[in-house]
């Protein structure tokens, strides 16, 4: 399975070497096949081809050992200031370390910069909402949900997984939002 996927992705990347989503998919193939050396090799090439990709830098940060993630995020934040993906990595690192006030601040910065840059990444809202619900900040969580419903965010792997699921074709945006965040809450 991995060999065929690698070959297909390599052909696609030859045509579109600057496409960060192709590189992200190549990284996920290496993760699925538990190929650490392959992942590192693909990541090095990806960051050379797409040096300003916050998405790829996010994956590089989250693939680091937990103890070095914040320092790596700081390094990348200097290269890509205000990039929502880097801010999102900070939020997740602080959440994992149970530094909840810092996590809250970085999630808010992520949403703010996602809006400013018009990236439309729904997953940021999903993770932020789940964080708030886990920490009993229901009123703020409802504000985040309402802000999402007013936005035009349609991107992100978790959001697309639920939005494009044929079983969800009759569900409203709010119902899909709740369904996706419930998946996050159950996996935590």
């Amino acid at each position: 399975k991995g060999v065929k996927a690698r070959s297909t992705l390599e052909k696609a990347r030859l045509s579109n070497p600057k496409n960060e989503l192709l590189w992200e998919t190549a990284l996920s193939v290496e993760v699925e096949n538990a190929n650490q050396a392959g992942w590192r090799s693909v990541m090095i090439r990806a960051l050379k081809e797409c040096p300003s990709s916050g998405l790829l830098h996010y994956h590089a940060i989250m693939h680091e050992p937990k103890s070095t993630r914040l320092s790596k995020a700081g390094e990348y934040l200097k290269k890509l200031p205000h990039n929502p993906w880097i801010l999102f990595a900070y939020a997740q690192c602080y959440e994992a370390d149970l530094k909840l006030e810092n996590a809250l601040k970085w999630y808010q910065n992520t949403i703010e910069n996602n809006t400013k840059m018009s990236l439309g990444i729904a997953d940021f809202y999903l993770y932020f909402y789940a964080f708030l619900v886990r920490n009993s900040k229901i009123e703020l969580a409802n504000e985040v949900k309402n802000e999402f419903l007013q936005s035009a965010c349609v991107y992100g792997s978790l959001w697309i997984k639920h939005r494009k699921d044929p079983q969800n074709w009759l569900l409203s945006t709010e119902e899909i939002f709740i369904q996706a965040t419930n998946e996050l809450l159950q996996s935590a």
Side-chain angles (χ1 to χ4, degrees):
K1 177 184 173 184
V3 174
K4 177 74 173 159
R6 280 186 201 98
S7 150
T8 304
L9 284 166
E10 191 61 40
K11 288 178 187 172
R13 286 195 317 260
L14 287 173
S15 300
N16 302 299
K18 305 283 186 209
N19 187 321
E20 68 182 5
L21 297 176
L22 288 174
W23 287 106
E24 180 191 30
T25 305
L27 291 168
S28 67
V29 167
E30 300 305 336
V31 168
E32 285 175 19
N33 291 299
N35 183 357
Q36 183 71 16
W39 187 93
R40 289 240 179 260
S41 171
V42 171
M43 180 54 80
I44 289 167
R45 290 175 39 218
L47 291 174
K48 281 183 183 172
E49 288 292 336
C50 305
S52 62
S53 169
L55 175 62
L56 295 175
H57 284 87
Y58 166 78
H59 285 293
I61 293 165
M62 299 314 284
H63 206 73
E64 287 287 319
K66 188 176 177 185
S67 61
T68 61
R69 285 182 187 164
L70 276 174
S71 62
K72 188 59 86 171
E75 179 185 320
Y76 290 148
L77 190 60
K78 289 175 187 169
K79 289 182 186 176
L80 304 169
H82 308 294
N83 187 294
W85 283 106
I86 308 300
L87 302 175
F88 182 56
Y90 260 110
Q92 290 192 315
C93 291
Y94 281 123
E95 182 179 3
D97 290 343
L98 300 176
K99 295 179 180 176
L100 304 181
E101 288 304 314
N102 286 341
L104 177 64
K105 180 184 102 177
W106 286 100
Y107 273 120
Q108 289 169 329
N109 288 341
T110 301
I111 297 298
E112 183 181 312
N113 283 286
N114 184 44
T115 304
K116 281 182 187 173
M117 297 175 80
S118 301
L119 295 179
I121 300 170
D123 285 7
F124 296 150
Y125 287 93
L126 299 174
Y127 279 89
F128 189 22
Y129 180 86
F131 165 77
L132 293 169
V133 169
R134 266 194 300 274
N135 293 288
S136 303
K137 296 182 183 285
I138 305 304
E139 190 174 309
L140 187 53
N142 287 329
E143 288 177 25
V144 168
K145 179 177 69 173
N146 290 334
E147 185 180 338
F148 169 78
L149 293 173
Q150 293 172 0
S151 72
C153 294
V154 295
Y155 302 109
S157 56
L158 180 63
W159 176 252
I160 289 172
K161 172 184 160 188
H162 287 274
R163 185 78 215 170
K164 300 291 183 181
D165 186 342
Q167 294 177 349
N168 296 339
W169 74 282
L170 288 175
L171 298 181
S172 69
T173 301
E174 183 174 5
E175 291 169 323
I176 294 171
F177 182 89
I178 297 299
Q179 182 186 72
T181 53
N182 283 341
E183 179 183 324
L184 287 174
L185 291 168
Q186 291 170 1
S187 68

